[in-house]
Amino acid sequence: MTDAVSYYLEDQEYHGKSERTREAYERVLRRFESFLADEGSGPSGRSLTPEEAGRRACMAWVHSLRGEHAPSTVASYASYVHRFYAYMTQVGEFDSNPMALVVEEMDESIDKDPTRREISVPKMRGFVGAISHPLERALVITLLKTGVRVGELCNLDLRDLSLSDPELVAEFDLGGRVQLDGRPESLYVAAEPARGYSYNGEERTASNKRKRATVIPVDGELAAVLKSWLAIRPDARSPAEPLFLSTSGDWGGRLSPQAVRNVVERHARAHGWYTDGGGATENVTPHYFRHFFTTHLRDRTGDRGIVKYLRGDVASDIIDTYTHNWGGQVRDVYESNVYRLL
């Protein structure tokens, strides 16, 4: 096999793995491949391919990661290579999995619940203040104020946003959802959009992961930031009228999750909040904003139920309770406690 890594990644795409997951696997597997080419010792001293690598070569690669990465990251990278070998062995492309014993004997383990960097509201306010581009500011503040996942952010359409500003109402077809009737200044986050399926007339490249659809209040700060973005928003190429569109290479196309991650990473790096190999314990990413939203809003409200509702994580009977008393409970609690970022 000339390129086992490409073969594996193509199969993972067919199995429905997300682009982000495939990119993570490719990054680690290519690094492993390069290590074997540089450090491996095959017949006559030539470099090794992954198919030729044995247990000792795999052990040497894991050892090379130590000191450069946190133990949980070393364990994660080893698990990627282990899964790669396990799959290639199962489908009959490789004869054995040399990583099996290596992983079993490793001291490092994957941290299922990493201790994340703790950022105060004033420090996050300073981070937001350094972002000047209307689109980038709207992306970051929407993530911080709503706790939505990056895929859910990218799947938002104009019909999912209800704002009562006369200028916006005259210019845009906002809030077309029946679920937003009687709920001005709010955002509807659906549960249905799924990667590879058509939704509102457009095939989606990201999936929403909510147990149930959620209506999230939009406070004055977020409304003002979204208005500034809509003032420069280009014409959409999609009939679905996405809320967030590219203003660079893919002009007018729906913004992708990777594009949002790139924006957040760039600003986090500039702020000293992102380093290569840092992992969830150090790096500020779009998913970190969901953690920030959950932690600070829960601490301010003392109401775990409402925070779970806003995150879209609660069961149907609980979510129905908040849905029926949305204005008198969800909005009041949210607006009384949500942090200011500007």
Side-chain angles (χ1 to χ4, degrees):
M1 179 174 294
T2 57
D3 191 349
V5 172
S6 292
Y7 176 95
Y8 173 73
L9 294 172
E10 185 176 36
D11 273 18
Q12 296 311 297
E13 181 178 8
Y14 294 152
H15 285 307
K17 299 296 184 184
S18 70
E19 181 181 3
R20 182 185 183 190
T21 298
R22 299 196 312 273
E23 287 175 349
Y25 271 87
E26 181 170 24
R27 185 168 59 251
V28 173
L29 293 173
R30 293 301 184 192
R31 177 170 179 168
F32 174 64
E33 192 177 49
S34 295
F35 174 84
L36 295 176
D38 294 338
E39 306 292 337
S41 182
S44 303
R46 67 176 177 80
S47 62
L48 292 171
T49 66
E51 186 175 5
E52 296 169 329
R55 177 180 58 85
R56 290 185 64 83
C58 291
M59 287 174 60
W61 177 71
V62 170
H63 183 69
S64 74
L65 300 175
R66 295 179 174 128
E68 183 180 351
H69 298 286
S72 62
T73 302
V74 173
S76 294
Y77 287 4
S79 73
Y80 287 7
V81 176
H82 175 47
R83 291 171 193 165
F84 162 70
Y85 273 115
Y87 181 83
M88 297 298 282
T89 302
Q90 188 174 7
V91 298
E93 295 296 337
F94 288 1
D95 292 332
S96 63
N97 178 0
M99 277 296 292
L101 184 59
V102 175
V103 170
E104 184 177 333
E105 295 295 325
M106 285 174 60
D107 291 331
E108 296 90 347
S109 61
I110 298 173
D111 190 348
K112 298 293 186 180
D113 187 21
T115 301
R116 298 177 183 273
R117 176 195 293 269
E118 291 301 325
I119 299 175
S120 66
V121 172
K123 287 184 178 179
M124 188 61 79
R125 196 175 291 132
F127 174 79
V128 169
I131 302 174
S132 58
H133 192 287
L135 171 59
E136 296 178 358
R137 176 171 277 215
L139 294 172
V140 169
I141 293 182
T142 301
L143 288 167
L144 283 166
K145 288 274 190 172
T146 66
V148 296
R149 299 174 178 87
V150 65
E152 294 168 345
L153 177 85
C154 294
N155 275 328
L156 291 172
D157 297 330
L158 290 182
R159 66 173 185 163
D160 298 319
L161 174 64
S162 174
L163 293 177
S164 57
D165 185 293
E167 294 181 9
L168 296 179
V169 171
E171 181 71 19
F172 300 98
D173 187 15
L174 300 176
R177 295 274 196 178
V178 65
Q179 295 90 342
L180 295 176
D181 289 349
R183 294 172 181 169
E185 276 62 53
S186 57
L187 196 64
Y188 179 81
V189 185
E192 298 86 0
R195 181 175 177 271
Y197 290 87
S198 180
Y199 186 76
N200 194 22
E202 180 186 352
E203 183 176 326
R204 301 304 169 109
T205 59
S207 299
N208 287 10
K209 298 180 180 179
R210 304 214 148 213
K211 293 182 179 179
R212 287 281 299 274
T214 312
V215 178
I216 303 175
V218 172
D219 72 344
E221 271 190 351
L222 180 53
V225 167
L226 290 173
K227 182 177 181 179
S228 295
W229 154 240
L230 289 171
I232 68 160
R233 173 182 175 271
D235 292 336
R237 300 207 312 263
S238 166
E241 289 289 346
L243 175 59
F244 295 115
L245 301 170
S246 174
T247 58
S248 54
D250 190 31
W251 182 269
R254 183 183 298 274
L255 211 60
S256 69
Q258 189 57 53
V260 177
R261 293 187 193 101
N262 291 343
V263 167
V264 174
E265 178 184 329
R266 176 161 44 82
H267 288 289
R269 280 185 185 278
H271 216 75
W273 289 353
Y274 194 102
T275 57
D276 292 328
T281 59
E282 300 178 39
N283 290 344
V284 170
T285 63
H287 190 71
Y288 177 86
F289 293 151
R290 183 168 168 84
H291 164 76
F292 182 92
F293 171 86
T294 302
T295 302
H296 286 281
L297 201 61
R298 185 181 57 212
D299 290 348
R300 286 164 171 251
T301 63
D303 191 331
R304 290 178 177 269
I306 282 186
V307 174
K308 284 188 175 183
Y309 164 80
L310 293 169
R311 284 171 52 95
D313 288 345
V314 297
S316 58
D317 56 339
I318 300 174
I319 208 167
D320 286 343
T321 299
Y322 288 116
T323 300
H324 294 150
N325 193 22
W326 189 85
Q329 189 170 6
V330 176
R331 181 183 286 283
D332 288 349
V333 171
Y334 177 87
E335 291 188 340
S336 298
N337 293 279
V338 71
Y339 36 81
R340 298 195 62 80
L341 294 171
L342 299 174

